[in-house]
Amino acid sequence: VGISLRDAACLPETCFTVWSNVVMRGGLSAGERFLIHGGSSGIGTTAIQIARALGARVWATAGSAEKCSACEALGATAINYREADFAEVLHAEGGANLILDMVGGSYIARNLKALADEGRMVFIAFLESPKAEINFAQVMLRRLTITGSTLRPQSDAAKAEIARQLRAQVWPMIEAGKLKVVQDSVFPLEEAASAHARMESSAHIGKIVLRLF
């Protein structure tokens, strides 16, 4: 698709994760309201762009003015989670049809509040905690769907199907300029510890790349 090897190296993990969970599992379609947590992360920046390319309205949470600006530059309405309650913001908009969450913990109950009736919530990680106490009655009363996945344990056939859909649906987005890799920084392999420190600092926006040569 005419991109650099460095950009290409950033695509597999994020695109496989986003497409399989947002589209194949979450069923996002044009016109729907989509909320992504961690909007300035590698997953987040990819999810914003793919969702926008599909015609969805996108909201993204982030923890600083700089990160919110990065999300907005990609086409999302940013919510600084240190200053506003994302559940209240989405509730005022009619609720999210789909939420992609990598936080868990205290976000789980707030996600349910943020969902529209018939809404879907997809988990891909639990940075805070995989445990929460919630009232499941609202799942029935509002006909909500809660699901999630991780790529590693899936079969080769399942991964091949994701790859097939990426080639058919996502690579054309890259060719059309609708999806671009957001890179935070590049470290030589011998400075891998510094790259990990950068990632753990939560200051990065987009992907952190290790250069082999």
Side-chain angles (χ1 to χ4, degrees):
V1 292
I3 62 174
S4 70
L5 286 176
R6 189 173 295 172
D7 280 352
C10 298
L11 291 173
E13 186 267 344
T14 53
C15 288
F16 268 74
T17 299
V18 170
W19 187 263
S20 63
N21 286 284
V22 171
V23 179
M24 297 174 70
R25 184 167 296 275
L28 184 67
S29 60
E32 289 195 310
R33 295 178 294 273
F34 173 55
L35 170 63
I36 167 68
H37 292 301
S40 62
S41 66
I43 294 291
T45 55
T46 301
I48 290 170
Q49 294 180 82
I50 288 178
R52 288 283 295 170
L54 292 172
R57 298 173 60 194
V58 184
W59 283 259
T61 60
S64 71
E66 182 185 10
K67 290 184 175 183
C68 285
S69 294
C71 294
E72 290 170 350
L74 296 174
T77 298
I79 304 168
N80 189 327
Y81 62 77
R82 302 183 192 279
E83 300 175 353
D85 183 346
F86 68 82
E88 292 183 0
V89 172
L90 268 296
H91 183 73
E93 295 287 342
N97 303 110
L98 177 65
I99 297 175
L100 185 67
D101 184 42
M102 60 186 78
V103 181
S106 62
Y107 272 40
I108 296 176
R110 296 164 67 194
N111 283 336
L112 293 178
K113 180 181 177 183
L115 283 172
D117 290 352
E118 309 275 0
R120 296 94 65 197
M121 177 165 57
V122 182
F123 291 104
I124 56 170
F126 297 104
L127 297 178
E128 183 178 310
S129 173
K131 299 179 181 180
E133 183 175 333
I134 61 174
N135 180 356
F136 272 91
Q138 59 187 313
V139 175
M140 295 186 296
L141 293 173
R142 298 170 53 211
R143 303 169 302 285
L144 306 178
T145 298
I146 301 175
T147 184
S149 78
T150 184
L151 280 171
R152 190 170 300 169
Q154 295 189 48
S155 68
D156 290 345
K159 294 172 185 176
E161 175 57 23
I162 299 170
R164 186 193 67 79
Q165 292 197 25
L166 290 179
R167 176 174 291 182
Q169 304 294 333
V170 177
W171 292 177
M173 294 179 186
I174 298 171
E175 291 178 322
K178 296 180 179 179
L179 173 60
K180 298 180 180 179
V181 173
V182 178
Q183 285 190 31
D184 174 82
S185 49
V186 180
F187 292 83
L189 184 59
E190 56 269 24
E191 295 180 18
S194 297
H196 279 281
R198 173 70 177 170
M199 182 168 60
E200 291 168 5
S201 74
S202 298
H204 64 287
I205 295 175
K207 297 291 288 184
I208 298 171
V209 180
L210 284 177
R211 177 169 49 82
L212 299 179
F213 51 83

